[in-house]
């Protein structure tokens, strides 16, 4: 049997832990004496034939760095947007380098693309990453733990100024169409109100709850997921719009803060590094045994895999986590439901 070659790419929005995954792939491949190459800029590198060799020396010490040494993009090669035949370009690049497997580290959109790649005959394994934690079929995704840690640290700071000024503070979280970051950071910081896309809220209920909270403790904390549906009457992004709405209903001074890309940057938490290593090594083992067309999954300390076709196009939403929602309600968090 000849020496095997693994290709890796990081696609979609970046997050902390991608470099730890790349480093683990290179170290894991070395155990099998396999070569590793990386396509740069997400699927763009695969289309444009932009490749780097990755030797153990190239990944030395990168596990602690945020971002991705390979770069990333939101390129969707199967979406026709011009004259280029991107799938054909991908097949050309693939033939030229002839790897045995592509490890695609990405979120929902990237798993969909990976599934399409499998359909055109490219052996591919997905590794889930996203601060949104919304990849269907896995409880864990690389990046969520760090984003949550950063969010809770930031809320701890914001809350002190809410107290001093007796204000309502609205903090907007990323999360795309789901409320995982908002819910988990809301529970961790015992927020008074959490608004998420999965649970439609009633502004009057939110305002009534917050007025009561402010009259008892003097200030209040509201966590808002960026993806909530807001009334077009309240201008601005989700957090700003909710702050305007609350102030107008309650007459209490309300400020908003959007954490934005701070949640996606910086060094990965120890937990994200471990999740990244565990998933990456599982992917390498699968690759070496010739298994493809799957996405690695993580629950607790268990790592497994599911068919890519099963996760593609689906969303892991908060309403499936009844236990966490119940915990939130039991500690006094309102979701503003009618
Ligand atoms: O998927 C991660 C994420 O950070 C979402 O939370 C957010 O909605 C989106 O990416 C932002 O995307 P972009 O990096 O393209 O601005």
């Amino acid at each position: 049997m000849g020496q095997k070659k693994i290709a890796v790419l990081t696609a979609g929005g970046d997050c902390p832990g991608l470099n730890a995954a790349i480093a683990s792939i290179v170290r894991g491949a070395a155990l099998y004496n396999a070569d590793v190459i990386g396509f740069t800029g997400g699927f763009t590198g695969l289309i444009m034939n932009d490749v780097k060799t990755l030797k153990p020396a190239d990944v030395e010490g990168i596990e602690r760095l945020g971002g991705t040494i390979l770069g990333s993009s939101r390129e969707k090669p199967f979406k026709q947007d011009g004259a280029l035949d991107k799938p054909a370009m991908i097949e050309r690049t693939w033939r030229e380098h002839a790897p045995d497997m592509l490890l695609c580290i990405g979120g929902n959109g990237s798993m969909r693309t990976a599934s399409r790649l499998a359909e055109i005959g490219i052996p591919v394994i997905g590794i889930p990453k996203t601060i949104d934690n919304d990849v269907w079929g896995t409880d864990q995704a690389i990046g969520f733990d760090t984003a949550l840690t950063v969010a809770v640290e930031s809320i701890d700071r914001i809350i002190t100024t809410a107290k001093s000024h007796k204000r309502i503070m609205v903090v907007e979280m990323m999360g795309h169409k789901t409320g995982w970051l908002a819910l988990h950071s809301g529970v961790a910081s015992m927020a008074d109100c959490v608004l998420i896309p999965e649970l439609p809220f009633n502004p009057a209920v939110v305002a009534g709850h917050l007025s009561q909270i402010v009259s008892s403790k003097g200030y209040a904390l509201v966590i808002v997921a960026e993806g909530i549906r807001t009334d077009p009457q309240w201008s601005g992004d989700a957090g700003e719009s909710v702050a305007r709405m609350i102030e107008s209903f309650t007459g209490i001074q309300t400020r908003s803060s959007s954490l934005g890309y701070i949640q996606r940057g910086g060094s990965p938490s120890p937990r994200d590094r471990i999740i990244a290593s565990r998933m990456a090594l599982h992917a390498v083992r699968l690759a070496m045994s010739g298994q493809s067309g799957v996405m690695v999954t993580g629950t607790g300390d268990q790592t497994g895999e599911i068919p890519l076709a099963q996760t593609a196009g689906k969303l892991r939403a908060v309403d499936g986590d009844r236990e966490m929602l119940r915990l939130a309600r039991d500690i006094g968090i309102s979701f503003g439901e009618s």
Side-chain angles (χ1 to χ4, degrees):
M1 191 174 67
Q3 194 165 331
K4 296 244 185 193
K5 191 195 273 185
I6 294 177
V8 55
L9 60 80
T10 49
D14 72 342
C15 67
L18 294 175
N19 284 327
I22 296 167
S24 300
I25 288 167
V26 174
R27 286 174 181 235
L31 297 175
Y32 296 87
N33 202 23
D35 290 331
V36 182
I37 57 169
F39 291 109
T40 62
F43 294 107
T44 307
L46 194 52
I47 298 165
M48 305 308 289
N49 197 3
D50 198 346
V51 186
K52 275 184 182 177
T53 33
L54 294 170
K55 302 258 179 233
D58 300 317
V59 297
E60 182 55 37
I62 66 166
E63 66 285 346
R64 60 184 62 93
L65 306 179
T68 159
I69 59 160
L70 289 174
S72 193
S73 71
R74 297 234 180 244
E75 170 64 45
K76 294 183 175 66
F78 292 95
K79 196 170 163 209
Q80 190 68 45
D81 64 351
L84 296 181
D85 183 350
K86 292 177 181 174
M89 293 167 84
I90 287 177
E91 285 177 296
R92 246 194 324 271
T93 304
W94 194 257
R95 272 198 305 275
E96 182 179 329
H97 300 281
D100 296 283
M101 191 67 66
L102 173 64
L103 303 187
C104 168
I105 311 175
N108 270 322
S110 309
M111 291 309 138
R112 217 173 8 241
T113 301
S115 183
R116 298 290 303 274
L117 289 174
E119 281 166 26
I120 64 166
I122 292 186
V124 55
I125 295 172
I127 301 176
K129 67 85 218 167
T130 166
I131 66 161
D132 305 333
N133 213 12
D134 60 354
V135 178
W136 191 91
T138 178
D139 286 349
Q140 296 164 355
I142 300 166
F144 178 70
D145 184 68
T146 311
L148 178 62
T149 306
V150 170
V152 173
E153 278 169 12
S154 309
I155 293 166
D156 286 351
R157 290 171 188 278
I158 289 170
I159 205 91
T160 63
T161 135
K163 248 177 172 168
S164 310
H165 289 268
K166 295 193 182 309
R167 283 173 174 159
I168 297 175
M169 282 294 194
V170 176
V171 186
E172 183 190 303
M173 297 289 145
M174 278 191 166
H176 201 218
K177 293 179 180 158
T178 63
W180 292 105
L181 267 179
L183 175 62
H184 282 241
S185 61
V187 168
S189 49
M190 296 206 173
D192 300 296
C193 188
V194 171
L195 304 181
I196 56 176
E198 291 90 336
L199 301 177
F201 66 93
N202 176 337
V205 174
V206 172
H209 178 70
L210 293 174
S211 296
Q212 249 179 30
I213 296 286
V214 173
S215 62
S216 68
K217 69 173 186 188
Y219 68 96
L221 171 67
V222 181
I223 309 290
V224 164
E226 64 174 349
I228 58 162
R229 206 184 288 266
T230 51
D231 190 327
Q233 187 188 345
W234 314 106
S235 59
D237 56 22
E240 189 55 32
S241 149
V242 166
R244 297 286 67 77
M245 179 272 285
I246 292 170
E247 198 169 83
S248 131
F249 271 69
T250 62
I252 303 166
Q253 212 176 46
T254 306
R255 297 280 193 269
S256 89
S257 224
S258 171
L259 299 188
Y261 294 92
I262 287 172
Q263 294 157 100
R264 253 169 59 179
S267 236
S269 65
R271 185 167 159 73
D272 265 333
R273 297 182 204 191
I274 292 167
I275 290 173
S277 291
R278 195 182 274 148
M279 287 186 167
L281 263 299
H282 191 75
V284 169
R285 278 183 222 114
L286 290 173
M288 290 301 126
S289 69
Q291 194 171 343
S292 70
V294 294
M295 180 188 80
V296 174
T297 60
T299 304
D301 58 3
Q302 296 298 310
T303 311
E305 67 280 340
I306 56 169
L308 270 170
Q310 199 176 327
T311 179
K314 294 194 194 129
L315 196 67
R316 176 178 180 265
V318 165
D319 39 3
D321 194 348
R322 300 200 183 284
E323 204 187 313
M324 193 63 168
L325 291 172
R326 181 170 171 199
L327 166 63
R329 290 189 177 104
D330 287 352
I331 60 170
I333 293 175
S334 163
F335 292 102
E337 296 156 287
S338 300

